[in-house]
Amino acid sequence: MRRFPDGWQFLLGAILLFAAQFAAARDALPIERLSLPPGFYVEVLSDQVPGARGMVLGPKGTLFVGSRGQGNVYAITLDPSRAYAAKVRTIASGLNMPVGVAMRNGALYISAVSRILKLDDIENRLDSPGKPVTLYDKLPTETHHGWRYIAFGPDQRLYVGVGAPCNVCKRDENRYAMIGSMKPDGTDWRVIARGVRNSVGFDWQPGTNALWFTDNGRDLLGDDVPDDELNRLSSVGEHFGFPYCHAGNVSDPDFGREKPCRSFTPPKAKLGAHVAALGMRFYIGKQFPAEYRGNIFIAEHGSWNRSSKVGYRVVRIVLDAKGNVAKQEVFAQGWLDDGETVWGRPVDLLTLPDGSLLISDDHAGAIYRITYRKP
């Protein structure tokens, strides 16, 4: 019988105990309640990411995740199998709603309401990241819709969503209710899209580089009006209606008389009222069946003030050859049960290099991984 040197049995026991505890923690969430199309499977990558929101993958494979009320930014080192998180670090804390994260040339960019922050060479400094440097500090300071999604576009500019500081109001449209962009050094701020009440998710279509984005509809017009939107930008500065018109055809009771709905660009798809459509991504992997490539996945965070809850799911949007919406269907659901009990709220999505799909969940503090195996 092989004997281990003194101390090795204790160390081996500790490793096995930690592994068992880690596996148990990942199995604690009731993912068996989630339903997906045949051949798709879901697992918990980590449930140790409090308030998990925006996600981005570093060039060395580190998953970075923002949060909202927690004020933290996390760095997740993935196991080589990408089936679970080998280590979760908090690399920044005490920030003001650091929801958005983006990567360029090894640097991590972070949104923090009025500021865009930066951590250089972050994947080589995960254990001692230092204090984030302020790159830009001229964004609005209001926290109502002040959590900002950010991402680098094909033009290598950083795009930033800036929500309206209200349910519905008329403010400077060059400063609020829009999407803007800047150079990576924080200069040359430009307004890209106007009349966008609150977009917390956007992506660029492969092949066309067209910008698509979700937009949350206003509240207090009833359970079923207006729809959240999926929009496509056709020209810089295009106006999508807020606060005058919602979902393409709902004239606002306070501001609608000033400008008719026909003055604005209508949505490419109506997603349902109060579903809280947040993160959206084009599927760019090859693991899923061929008919899923180029599809849009949208995370619906779920309603907060509707008489009966809606959302709390991930939907799939299929586009035709002309870029129009051909089909809209539920892809993943089950975070909301029949008794309207909520145990999870999807926020953002991300395709990993192996073609699996990640979903962040700020309610459960978790990251899920969806894979496909042919039935």
Side-chain angles (χ1 to χ4, degrees), residues 3 10 71 74 77 93 106 109 143 169 171 241 250 326 337 340 352:
R3 296 183 60 84
F10 174 80
Y74 308 98
T77 301
S93 60
Y109 291 70
T143 55
C169 58
R171 301 288 291 270
V250 178
D337 67 22
E340 296 209 337
L352 286 183

Side-chain angles (χ1 to χ4, degrees), residues 174-189:
N174 291 316
R175 185 163 173 78
Y176 298 94
M178 53 89 164
I179 298 173
S181 79
M182 64 179 73
K183 290 182 178 179
D185 62 1
T187 62
D188 191 30
W189 174 262

